[in-house]
C-alpha cells in the first residue's frame, strides 16, 4: 500500500523502525527533513538515491513516487509542504533598481 505525503493531516513526524520500508506518493511538492536516524530515499525516475542524516532535507516534486528505508536505528522524518517563494521587492526598491539598470 502506498501512503500519500504532504497532506493536511501530516502534522506528526513520520517514524520508521530500523529496516522498515515505506512506499510513498507526494500529492504536493514538499520537503523531507530527517530529525533522527539515517534514511535512504529513492525517487522513481531519478538515477540517484539519497542518504539523509539528521538535519538533512530533500525537496520532492508533486507527483513523485518514492521508497524510504530507515538505516540501523529508528528514524524520524518531518514532512512539510513547500511554500511558493514570495518576492520581497517593494515598490521603491523596484524604482531604485530600474534607475540603476538604466545608467
Amino acid at each position: 500500500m502506498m501512503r500519500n505525503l504532504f497532506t493536511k493531516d501530516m502534522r506528526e513526524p513520520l517514524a520508521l523502525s530500523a529496516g522498515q520500508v515505506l512506499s510513498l506518493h507526494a500529492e504536493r511538492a514538499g520537503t523531507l527533513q530527517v530529525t533522527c536516524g539515517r534514511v535512504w530515499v529513492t525517487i522513481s525516475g531519478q538515477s540517484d538515491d539519497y542518504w539523509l542524516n539528521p538535519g538533512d532535507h530533500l525537496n520532492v516534486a508533486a507527483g513523485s513516487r518514492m521508497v524510504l528505508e530507515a538505516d540501523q536505528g529508528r528514524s524520524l522524518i518531518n514532512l512539510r509542504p513547500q511554500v511558493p517563494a514570495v518576492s520581497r521587492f517593494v515598490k521603491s526598491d523596484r524604482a531604485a533598481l530600474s534607475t540603476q539598470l538604466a545608467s
Side-chain angles (χ1 to χ4, degrees), residues 53-82:
N53 295 296
D56 291 346
H57 67 274
L58 179 65
N59 292 329
V60 178
S64 295
R65 297 187 183 278
M66 66 199 93
V67 175
L68 277 64
E69 181 178 359
D71 198 15
Q72 299 171 352
R74 181 177 181 209
S75 297
L76 294 175
I77 306 156
N78 285 328
L79 307 167
R80 299 186 316 256
Q82 286 181 6

Side-chain angles (χ1 to χ4, degrees), residues 5-8 10 26-33 43 46 57-64 66 78-86:
L5 289 181
F6 310 121
T7 60
K8 291 182 181 179
M10 296 297 297
E27 289 184 347
R28 300 185 289 172
T31 301
L32 305 174
Q33 183 174 23
I43 300 174
Q46 292 189 10
H57 67 274
L58 179 65
N59 292 329
V60 178
S64 295
M66 66 199 93
N78 285 328
L79 307 167
R80 299 186 316 256
Q82 286 181 6
V83 179
V86 176

Side-chain angles (χ1 to χ4, degrees), residues 78-97:
N78 285 328
L79 307 167
R80 299 186 316 256
Q82 286 181 6
V83 179
V86 176
S87 174
R88 294 192 176 228
F89 272 121
V90 292
K91 194 172 189 177
S92 61
D93 288 341
R94 286 187 188 152
L97 182 59

Side-chain angles (χ1 to χ4, degrees), residues 7-38:
T7 60
K8 291 182 181 179
D9 62 342
M10 296 297 297
R11 300 184 204 293
E12 297 294 319
L14 180 64
L16 297 176
S17 301
Q20 183 179 359
V21 177
L22 284 178
S23 294
L24 305 166
H25 174 255
E27 289 184 347
R28 300 185 289 172
T31 301
L32 305 174
Q33 183 174 23
V34 174
T35 58
C36 175
R38 186 172 182 226

